[in-house]
Amino acid sequence: MTRLDPGVDPRPVAASADAGAGPAAASAVAPAVAPRAFAPLALPPRPSRLWPTLWAILAGLVFLVAASGLKISWAELPALPGQVLHYLELMFASPNWEKLPRALFETWRSISMAWIGAILCVVISIPLGMLAANSVGPLWLRVILRGLFAVIRAVPEVIIALVLLTVTGLTPFTGALALGIAGIGTQGKWVYESVESVQDGAAEAVRAAGGTTAAVTRWALWPAVAPALLSFALYRFEINIRTSAVLGFVGAGGIGSMLSNYTNYRQWDTVGMLLIVVVIATMLMDAISGAIRRRIMNGRRA
């Protein structure tokens, strides 16, 4: 009988002895391992579609009520595309280019009106907008300025022009004032939102150095938001160019006045020429303004 050493485990010897017996013997010696039972995963509850469905139904009801109140003649809708094509043919089949010099002069008037309105808007809205920012102006001043911006945004440019007509008369200056005042609401909101989106690192550094609120605004906030504000100013100029044509319909001068007059007299060939001039001038000014905005935001490209 072989004496076993108490410090030696006999199980490795048995395993090595069975190693040459093949896979069948190994499987017989190895203990059977029961497969682990996994609990079924609980699926998340299906999101409720009640509120989206109710909102969709409410929007549909509002649309139906609005459509029923307009008294639309639905029987005339199939003939609408043919009528549009008829008037497009009257305007653009053979445009009347005899009034082109005057149209160019009135277009330049509209562009000048838009430019003066944009400058007036920017000069007023930038300081007021910065005072309306959370980190610059006091609470009572911010509430007043933001309320003023909201009121101005709620009034269309045409309504402002109609109010100014009683004071300044039927002149292009009326249109420039209307564009400048109407743009203060939107431009002022852009200014204080841009200031509030600036990182606090530079402002905190100026305050840590003993700077006042004016110093923080001048040396921390203004350098960070100046490119965006200049880009917004050019974008306001683009908007004013398109709006100035609409203001001409209420007597503010420019190319819109010519469009209104020749439309009333049903001179569609001249109206077509005016529309061509307006579209080309607007696209040209948009391209120039867009190039300047990209240069301001992205810098000079290699």
Side-chain angles (χ1 to χ4, degrees):
M1 178 179 295
T2 305
R3 183 178 179 181
L4 296 178
D5 191 353
V8 178
D9 190 0
R11 285 175 294 178
V13 178
S16 61
D18 294 338
S27 61
V29 174
V33 179
R36 182 180 298 177
F38 293 95
L41 295 176
L43 295 178
R46 185 176 181 180
S48 175
R49 301 292 300 173
L50 176 62
W51 286 108
T53 304
L54 292 178
W55 283 114
I57 294 174
L58 180 61
L61 291 176
V62 171
F63 174 79
L64 292 177
V65 172
S68 62
L70 292 177
K71 297 181 180 180
I72 301 175
S73 180
W74 300 102
E76 298 179 359
L77 288 181
L80 184 61
Q83 295 178 2
V84 172
L85 292 175
H86 172 67
Y87 283 103
L88 289 176
E89 183 179 0
L90 291 177
M91 288 188 291
F92 300 112
S94 57
N96 182 14
W97 299 101
E98 295 180 0
K99 303 293 183 179
L100 180 60
R102 186 188 168 193
L104 294 176
F105 174 74
E106 295 295 339
T107 302
W108 174 251
R109 224 177 200 181
S110 296
I111 295 174
S112 303
M113 188 192 317
W115 181 247
I116 294 175
I119 292 178
L120 178 64
C121 166
V122 170
V123 169
I124 297 177
S125 64
I126 286 182
L128 294 182
M130 297 194 76
L131 289 174
N134 288 331
S135 58
V136 180
L139 177 60
W140 63 268
L141 184 59
R142 296 200 306 267
V143 172
I144 294 175
L145 290 176
R146 295 191 182 197
L148 177 63
F149 295 155
V151 171
I152 294 176
R153 288 197 305 272
V155 182
E157 291 88 347
V158 177
I159 304 299
I160 297 176
L162 290 175
V163 174
L164 293 176
L165 283 176
T166 60
V167 180
T168 57
L170 298 174
T171 60
F173 182 63
T174 302
L177 281 178
L179 292 173
I181 295 174
I184 291 175
T186 305
Q187 194 77 17
K189 184 177 181 180
W190 287 343
V191 171
Y192 72 73
E193 287 183 349
S194 299
V195 173
E196 291 175 354
S197 64
V198 175
Q199 299 293 332
D200 296 333
E204 291 177 356
V206 175
R207 289 193 184 96
T212 61
T213 302
V216 170
T217 305
R218 171 62 183 88
W219 300 109
L221 300 180
W222 173 250
V225 301
L229 296 186
L230 293 178
S231 177
F232 289 153
L234 290 173
Y235 183 61
R236 187 70 222 178
F237 172 59
E238 298 176 11
I239 296 174
N240 287 352
I241 291 177
R242 289 183 284 271
T243 310
S244 62
V246 180
L247 293 181
F249 283 88
V250 297
I255 193 66
S257 297
M258 285 190 69
L259 276 170
S260 176
N261 295 332
Y262 286 101
T263 302
N264 292 333
Y265 288 107
R266 300 295 191 270
Q267 297 184 15
W268 301 115
D269 52 353
T270 306
V271 172
M273 181 271 298
L274 294 175
L275 290 177
I276 292 174
V277 172
V278 168
V279 170
I280 293 177
T282 304
M283 293 178 63
L284 180 62
M285 297 307 299
D286 284 352
I288 296 174
S289 178
I292 297 175
R293 283 193 292 112
R294 287 191 297 271
R295 176 66 175 82
I296 292 174
M297 297 301 295
N298 301 329
R300 181 182 299 177
R301 294 183 178 181

